[in-house]
Amino acid sequence: MSDPVAVSTEGSVGIIELARPEKFNCLSLQVHEHIAAARAGFEADRDIRSILIRAQGKHFCTGADLAEVKGKLNDPAALDHFIAFGMNNLRALETSSLPVAVAVQGLCLAGGIELMLACDVCFGAETAQFGDQHAQFGLIPGWGGSQRLTRLIGQRRALDLMFSARWLKADEAREAGLVNYVVPDADLHRAALEYCQKIATRSRPGIAEMKRLAREGADLGIDQQMRLERDAAVRALPSDDVAEGLDAFENRRTPAFKG
């Protein structure tokens, strides 16, 4: 049996590719385990500076592997492990020191949108569609979707999407704040990879710190947010990467960060 996730690199970009197109790339425990292992491996590799999550086939991901879920309904411990592992995996992506972009084609539903929400930047194909979907089948999100969706697009919009289970077209998803870039279907993977390659030229510690500030600061009051950024700036300014960046600016050249 082939691996449900294909892991590769393209220069300084680590690629995690869902590889179950015959099952619409639904998320099993094994898929989550492979994603977690790939992320940890990329974080430990100093040559990797960004992560791209994408999928094979017509659809990005239509949700959890419901056959696996049904098999655990009479085993509370196994069901809790399934939910907890998936939740912790997506939280680890969200808090990763590496920037994580995601490229979405076709359908991105339920568990699929929960995976997308845990990433930092989203590219959507023009024909992609996004939806929570859980309510249509009497389910509720279990991997952080109810919380991330509300934070990202606001409570009223999030509740509407969860209650109605309606799908958003790519342009609607961009207008709502779910998607950053909408590109022609044929250009999706190329555009997302080029974006990740561009990020990979930045200072790895600098990008990691900006991500941490944005994520951690979201839960703080404004005075705490300002102190968080102040402390980070004081730590960062004496670094070798900042010295390289300032020298590059003064000499009108492209910086070569080593951090």
Side-chain angles (χ1 to χ4, degrees), residues 84-218:
F85 194 97
M87 183 173 285
N88 291 337
N89 179 39
L90 298 191
R91 181 61 176 156
L93 274 177
E94 184 176 50
T95 59
S96 173
S97 59
L98 294 172
V100 182
V102 59
V104 174
Q105 78 274 18
L107 298 179
C108 179
L109 306 175
I113 204 171
E114 290 182 288
L115 171 57
M116 181 273 284
L117 288 168
C119 300
D120 301 312
V121 175
C122 179
F123 282 75
E126 285 179 335
T127 59
Q129 296 186 80
F130 302 78
D132 179 66
Q133 192 77 1
H134 287 96
Q136 185 168 344
F137 302 103
L139 302 168
I140 65 171
W143 291 328
S146 65
Q147 306 307 305
R148 291 191 181 96
L149 189 62
T150 300
R151 286 181 176 219
L152 188 61
I153 66 173
Q155 189 177 83
R156 283 185 179 268
R157 279 180 168 175
L159 287 174
D160 171 47
L161 288 180
M162 287 190 285
F163 292 167
S164 67
R166 66 190 180 93
W167 299 355
L168 297 180
K169 294 180 180 179
D171 284 340
E172 294 177 299
R174 179 175 56 189
E175 290 172 6
L178 281 173
V179 173
N180 299 87
Y181 302 96
V182 175
V183 299
D185 290 31
D187 297 336
L188 176 66
H189 287 178
R190 178 191 56 78
L193 180 60
E194 287 179 354
Y195 180 88
C196 288
Q197 289 171 329
K198 184 175 183 178
I199 294 176
T201 67
R202 312 302 192 202
S203 164
R204 178 168 167 163
I207 291 292
E209 195 69 348
M210 284 191 286
K211 178 172 175 175
R212 184 184 72 84
L213 290 171
R215 296 293 191 186
E216 291 185 13

Side-chain angles (χ1 to χ4, degrees), residues 209 212-213 227-239 242:
E209 195 69 348
R212 184 184 72 84
L213 290 171
R227 186 55 194 246
L228 187 71
E229 183 173 306
R230 170 185 162 187
D231 291 346
V234 170
R235 287 194 306 271
L237 283 171
S239 71
V242 169

Side-chain angles (χ1 to χ4, degrees), residues 48-91:
I48 297 300
R49 292 172 174 264
S50 63
I51 294 174
L52 172 60
I53 296 180
R54 66 190 189 192
Q56 298 176 6
K58 183 178 179 180
H59 301 297
F60 174 71
C61 176
T62 58
D65 187 329
L66 295 182
E68 185 169 345
V69 172
K70 288 177 65 177
K72 300 179 187 300
L73 293 180
N74 295 320
D75 187 341
L79 187 59
D80 181 68
H81 177 66
F82 179 78
I83 295 298
F85 194 97
M87 183 173 285
N88 291 337
N89 179 39
L90 298 191
R91 181 61 176 156

